């Protein structure tokens, strides 16, 4: 007989409700001890960092088991924020501590504190995103208006280099001065995206996240030159309005990328190189209205810049003029929402001060609770500290949700290496720490413009510290590519069906490969797509959008091994359960079908390639999956 744990924060028998809780709601904690341990007087010790500890006494709740005794207590948090907790008992006349061991278990030899996230009861997130599919587009590399050989939307500035072939390799070598200039362009534009909206709608997309579209002089456009203008090569303001309007008719919202921690040195605001006049901008004009936006050590040549890159001068986001310009009534945030945007993704959110994000939230939400705010945060967003401050992104009044880097790592490491325990722990820890409204719209990606594409990460050689030349010369060979497609499909199953919203990086569904920037930013391979992969992604999206459980359903990982994973999404109020069976191994696998409850109403196999199915079993081929949908008796609210 397996001995039950003393405490398990992932199990609702020990902590109820599971995960983050609302302020003023009650959480029940349960401890289970062997009778031979002779413990006495257990206490819950809970505190917010920097505040006094609170002590809650346990009472015996079950004394009927001859082997174990169960204690229970309740705690109702009065304050919003991250709380830590542990347990204290008396044992053989001495005080003993029960702390976290691993991701979830309580043990006497545990060394870490447990976490309880308490969030604002008023916290909600936009419903239109839930259950949907997101698609990330790097605007210069997705599609050109009228086809790949058509004229540009606008003439390129003289210092921009245009590729003559859509399928060429991006420039990766430094120039003669040893600098990476990022000034090569392929001419992708807003009209090109608009032209491909039917393709995206057919793929199942309900939201598009656009990398920056504002005037800037490098192809990534993270060095903003003018927040008020669409970059001329992408099109016009009217093109943006048209894109948003047509997308909306197809059920697709447009989310913009906001880069507010710095501007470009080559901008109307800083104007270091004189592009915008000899005597304008903070660098050239001591009397410029923008001068106080920046932090000068020795005017004008020594100033704060993003990670020491002098082409990206940092701004003081809490400068009243800058805050008003971005967040004020009719400011940058509201201007683009009024023109059709459905929300914003915040670049380097950890470099934006809390006060600025507070104002940004007010500005965006003034245009409607359905307008979304995502943040770029690479770590657990509830434990993130930056500049000596514990961040409060997700507890209310700031971000709706974040880019889900922890899920990305858990998924790719599991699919590539079979790291099942790390997968379970990584997924469940984030779901436990984040408020449920934020979990429901987590941006779940496996590739982005900042990291190598998933297929390359899964099947290619490890990039490690290899330089750009090595990355340019080491693409996938034919065998690696085939293997990579198989693993990529498995990763996408997890990406699409775990809590949150799958965000497909443009071209991943077509089999595009590539190491880090700029190789992960190659153009979409129109006419050379891996159509079987496109169809597979369409199938995932169709299943996802046909089952409402993926909008808000909780997660239960039934079993995860190095070879396979079985998990369910469950919505008791809706009365719907979908169980996913994923075989990530090179041999077929046989699974027994186990209904989620004894009193299910009906079930339906909604995806399987097995045509010789035994009664009560599923045979799943290598690197494939099946999905079973159950209708259960709904619970009353």
């Amino acid at each position: 007989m397996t001995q039950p744990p003393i405490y398990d924060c992932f199990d609702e028998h020990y902590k109820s409700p599971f995960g983050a809780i609302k302020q003023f709601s009650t959480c029940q904690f349960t401890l289970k001890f062997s009778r031979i341990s002779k413990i006495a007087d257990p206490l819950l010790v809970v505190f917010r960092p920097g505040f006094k500890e609170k002590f809650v006494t346990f009472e015996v709740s079950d004394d009927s088991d001859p082997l174990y005794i169960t204690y229970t207590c309740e705690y109702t948090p009065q304050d919003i924020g991250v709380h830590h907790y542990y347990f204290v008992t008396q044992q053989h006349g001495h005080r003993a501590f029960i702390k976290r061991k691993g991701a979830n278990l309580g043990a006497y030899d545990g060394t870490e504190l447990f976490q309880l996230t308490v969030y604002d009861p008023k916290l909600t997130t936009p419903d239109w995103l839930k259950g949907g599919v997101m698609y990330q587009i790097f605007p210069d590399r997705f599609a050109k208006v009228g086809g790949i050989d058509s004229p540009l939307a606008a003439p390129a500035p003289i210092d921009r280099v245009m590729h003559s072939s859509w399928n060429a390799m991006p420039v990766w070598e430094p120039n003669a001065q040893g600098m990476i200039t990022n000034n090569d362009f392929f001419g992708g534009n807003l009209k090109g995206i608009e032209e491909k909206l039917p393709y995206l709608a057919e793929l199942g997309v309900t939201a598009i996240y656009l990398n920056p579209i504002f005037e800037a002089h490098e192809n990534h456009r993270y060095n903003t030159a003018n927040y008020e203008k669409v970059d001329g090569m992408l099109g016009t303001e009217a093109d943006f309005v048209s894109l948003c309007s047509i997308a909306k008719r197809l059920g697709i919202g447009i989310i913009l990328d906001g880069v507010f921690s710095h501007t470009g040195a080559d901008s109307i605001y800083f104007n270091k190189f004189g592009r915008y006049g000899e005597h304008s901008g903070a660098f050239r004009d001591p009397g410029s209205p923008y001068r106080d936006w920046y932090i000068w050590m020795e005017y004008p040549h020594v100033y704060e810049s993003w990670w020491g890159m002098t082409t990206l001068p940092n701004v003081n986001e809490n400068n009243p003029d800058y805050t008003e310009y971005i967040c004020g009534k009719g400011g940058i945030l509201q201007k683009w929402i009024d023109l059709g945007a459905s929300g914003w993704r915040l670049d380097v959110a950890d470099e934006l001060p809390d006060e600025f994000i507070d104002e940004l939230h007010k500005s965006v939400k003034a245009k409607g609770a359905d307008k979304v705010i995502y943040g770029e945060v690479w770590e657990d967003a509830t434990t993130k500290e930056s500049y000596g401050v514990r961040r409060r992104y997700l507890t209310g009044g700031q971000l709706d949700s974040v880019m889900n880097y922890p899920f990305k790592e858990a998924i790719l490491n599991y699919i590539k290496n079979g790291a099942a325990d790390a997968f379970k722990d990584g997924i469940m820890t984030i779901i436990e720490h984040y408020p449920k409204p934020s979990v429901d719209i987590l941006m779940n990606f496996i590739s982005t413009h900042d990291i190598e594409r998933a297929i390359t990460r899964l099947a290619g050689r490890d990039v490690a510290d290899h330089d750009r030349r090595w990355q340019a010369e080491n693409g996938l060979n034919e065998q690696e590519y085939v293997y990579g497609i198989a693993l990529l499909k498995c990763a996408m199953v997890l990406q699409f069906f775990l809590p949150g919203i799958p965000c497909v990086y443009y071209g991943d569904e077509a089999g595009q490969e590539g190491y880090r920037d700029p190789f992960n930013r190659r153009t979409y391979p129109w006419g050379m797509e891996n159509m079987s992969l496109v169809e597979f992604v369409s199938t995932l999206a169709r299943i996802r959008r046909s089952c409402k459980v993926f909008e808000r359903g909780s997660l239960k990982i039934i079993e995860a091994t190095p070879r396979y994973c079985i998990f369910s999404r469950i919505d008791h109020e809706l009365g719907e359960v979908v169980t996913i069976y994923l075989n990530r191994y090179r041999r077929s696998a046989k699974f027994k079908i186990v209904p989620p409850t004894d009193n299910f109403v009906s079930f339906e196999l909604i995806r399987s390639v097995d045509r010789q199915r035994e009664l009560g079993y599923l045979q799943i081929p290598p690197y494939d999956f099946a999905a079973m949908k159950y209708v259960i008796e709904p619970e009353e609210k």
Side-chain angles (χ1 to χ4, degrees):
M1 180 178 177
T2 303
Q3 181 173 327
I6 296 172
Y7 180 72
D8 183 346
C9 65
F10 291 170
D11 187 337
E12 284 197 296
H13 292 100
Y14 289 89
K15 176 179 172 290
S16 180
F18 167 79
I21 64 173
K22 297 176 182 179
Q23 181 190 26
F24 307 128
S25 64
T26 298
C27 188
Q28 180 174 282
F29 297 87
T30 297
L31 301 176
K32 188 180 288 286
F33 297 99
S34 168
R35 288 187 179 273
I36 62 174
S37 64
K38 298 187 182 301
I39 71 97
D41 304 324
L43 290 173
L44 165 69
V45 185
V46 59
F47 64 96
R48 286 187 298 149
F51 293 85
K52 289 184 178 180
E53 295 175 320
K54 298 177 182 179
F55 302 89
V56 184
T57 303
F58 280 86
E59 302 289 342
V60 174
S61 58
D62 185 357
D63 200 15
S64 62
D65 191 314
L67 298 178
Y68 300 96
I69 185 168
T70 302
Y71 291 83
T72 301
C73 77
E74 292 184 344
Y75 175 67
T76 304
Q78 303 299 301
D79 301 294
I80 293 170
V82 169
H83 295 59
H84 296 300
Y85 66 94
Y86 61 98
F87 308 100
V88 181
T89 68
Q90 295 291 327
Q91 190 174 30
H92 306 298
H94 299 283
R95 188 161 55 174
F97 299 93
I98 299 168
K99 296 184 179 181
R100 182 166 62 83
K101 183 177 183 179
N104 57 307
L105 297 180
Y108 286 111
D109 59 348
T111 58
E112 304 294 330
L113 299 174
F114 292 96
Q115 178 172 317
L116 175 66
T117 305
V118 181
Y119 62 96
D120 190 330
K122 300 188 295 294
L123 175 65
T124 61
T125 52
D127 287 336
W128 68 271
L129 285 157
K130 297 169 185 174
V133 176
M134 192 179 294
Y135 193 86
Q136 181 188 349
I137 291 176
F138 195 81
D140 183 59
R141 310 289 164 85
F142 181 61
K144 288 167 76 168
V145 61
I148 63 172
D149 298 318
S150 65
L152 298 173
I158 194 168
D159 53 349
R160 297 189 187 187
V161 177
M162 294 304 304
H163 286 276
S164 59
S165 170
W166 179 256
N167 297 310
M169 174 75 80
V171 173
W172 57 269
E173 295 181 280
N175 63 15
Q177 289 75 43
M179 297 176 60
I180 301 293
T181 58
N182 297 308
N183 69 334
D184 65 311
F185 290 76
F186 287 83
N189 51 33
L190 298 182
K191 282 298 181 186
I193 299 171
E194 182 180 304
E195 186 180 73
K196 299 300 183 182
L197 286 175
Y199 161 74
L200 296 176
E202 182 67 22
L203 194 65
V205 171
T206 57
I208 294 172
Y209 154 43
L210 290 177
N211 288 112
I213 65 168
F214 306 120
E215 182 176 304
H217 303 293
E218 294 185 28
N219 51 45
H220 52 73
R221 297 188 172 95
Y222 281 94
N223 57 335
T224 312
N226 190 340
Y227 292 107
E228 300 180 37
K229 291 177 60 178
V230 172
D231 190 277
M233 287 178 58
L234 289 177
T236 65
E237 191 172 289
D239 292 337
F240 176 76
V241 171
S242 176
L243 172 64
C244 292
S245 177
I246 295 173
K248 185 176 181 180
R249 292 204 294 269
L250 293 172
I252 299 172
I254 304 293
I255 298 169
L256 293 176
D257 208 334
V259 187
F260 302 128
S261 73
H262 54 270
T263 69
D266 193 2
S267 66
I268 63 170
Y269 314 106
F270 202 80
N271 195 28
K272 183 174 183 176
F273 308 110
R275 185 190 298 266
Y276 296 95
E278 286 297 321
H279 304 290
S280 66
F283 186 88
R284 291 173 172 266
D285 177 10
S288 168
Y290 308 123
R291 178 173 171 175
D292 289 343
W293 287 12
Y294 301 96
I295 301 96
W296 309 93
M297 280 77 80
E298 184 180 327
Y299 182 83
H301 296 288
V302 185
Y303 49 88
E304 274 193 19
S305 57
W306 189 77
W307 287 79
M309 299 180 187
T310 57
T311 56
L312 300 174
N314 279 342
V315 298
N316 174 10
E317 299 91 341
N318 287 335
N319 173 277
D321 290 337
Y322 181 77
T323 302
E324 181 68 16
Y325 179 73
I326 300 297
C327 305
K329 186 175 182 180
I332 296 302
L333 296 166
Q334 295 191 354
K335 166 187 167 75
W336 294 100
I337 289 175
D338 288 343
L339 291 171
S342 295
W344 291 86
R345 175 263 191 191
L346 305 182
D347 185 55
V348 291
D350 58 335
E351 299 188 26
L352 300 173
D354 278 330
E355 298 84 356
F356 181 81
I357 299 179
D358 291 341
E359 293 303 313
L360 185 147
H361 179 272
K362 293 175 186 175
S363 178
V364 171
K365 296 301 181 178
K367 290 298 180 179
D370 62 326
K371 302 301 182 287
V372 70
I373 307 168
Y374 280 105
E376 179 194 12
V377 181
W378 287 52
E379 303 85 2
D380 182 329
T382 61
T383 60
K384 174 71 179 181
E385 292 188 10
S386 56
Y387 305 101
V389 176
R390 171 68 68 91
R391 305 311 298 263
R392 49 183 172 83
Y393 300 124
L394 300 182
T395 54
Q398 289 203 339
L399 308 178
D400 288 311
S401 198
V402 290
M403 298 182 71
N404 199 355
Y405 278 91
F407 268 29
K408 182 267 297 183
E409 279 301 299
I411 290 170
L412 295 182
N413 285 333
Y414 175 60
I415 296 303
K416 182 172 184 174
N417 304 313
D421 288 341
F423 168 74
K424 290 185 291 185
D425 292 348
I427 299 299
M428 292 303 297
T429 296
I430 290 299
I431 296 174
E432 188 210 7
H433 286 181
Y434 287 12
K436 181 66 165 54
S438 298
V439 169
D440 290 339
I441 63 166
L442 276 168
M443 190 188 291
N444 292 342
F445 57 88
I446 51 177
S447 306
T448 74
H449 61 292
D450 283 327
I451 54 178
E452 59 264 50
R453 285 190 180 266
I455 189 173
T456 303
R457 165 83 178 267
L458 291 168
R461 280 155 282 188
D462 189 354
V463 65
D465 295 323
H466 290 300
D467 62 16
R468 284 186 165 200
R469 181 171 296 280
W470 183 93
Q471 294 178 54
E473 296 172 352
N474 283 275
L476 302 179
N477 61 36
E478 184 175 350
Q479 183 178 2
E480 289 170 336
Y481 182 79
V482 172
Y483 182 53
I485 291 293
L487 294 184
L488 181 61
K489 287 181 177 180
C490 292
M492 284 180 160
V493 170
L494 298 176
Q495 178 189 18
F496 269 70
F497 298 135
L498 288 172
I501 304 169
C503 182
V504 178
Y505 184 45
Y506 80 102
D508 265 12
E509 82 279 17
Q512 185 62 286
E513 61 176 283
Y515 282 103
R516 296 173 182 161
D517 166 26
F519 310 104
N520 56 1
R521 301 174 182 181
R522 296 193 66 171
T523 53
Y524 188 101
W526 297 110
M528 297 181 290
E529 303 96 320
N530 184 317
M531 290 310 300
S532 69
L533 185 57
V534 173
E535 291 167 6
F536 182 81
V537 173
S538 297
T539 297
L540 296 179
R542 184 169 59 253
I543 293 171
R544 177 175 172 80
R545 296 185 62 186
S546 68
C547 302
K548 290 185 71 65
V549 71
F550 294 116
E551 294 182 8
R552 296 178 177 83
S554 61
L555 172 69
K556 180 180 181 181
I557 298 178
I558 299 168
E559 190 174 7
T561 77
R563 295 190 176 190
Y564 63 84
C565 180
I566 307 170
F567 63 93
S568 292
R569 296 293 303 280
I570 306 163
D571 190 324
H572 289 288
E573 292 182 2
L574 184 66
E576 185 173 290
V577 177
V578 173
T579 300
I580 304 295
Y581 300 81
L582 173 65
N583 179 14
R584 64 154 300 276
Y585 196 56
R586 64 177 180 269
R587 295 175 184 162
S588 63
K590 185 177 181 179
F591 298 94
K592 184 177 182 180
I593 299 172
V594 180
T597 63
D598 293 332
N599 61 339
F600 66 92
V601 176
S602 63
F603 69 94
E604 174 189 4
L605 184 62
I606 55 176
R607 202 274 181 177
S608 176
V609 295
D610 173 27
R611 306 196 187 284
Q612 305 292 325
R613 181 163 57 91
E614 295 180 49
L615 185 63
Y617 288 87
L618 286 171
Q619 190 79 22
I620 301 180
Y623 309 114
D624 212 331
F625 82 103
M628 184 78 76
K629 179 179 178 181
Y630 297 89
V631 176
I632 61 175
E633 291 289 346
E635 293 182 357
E636 294 184 4
K637 294 184 180 181

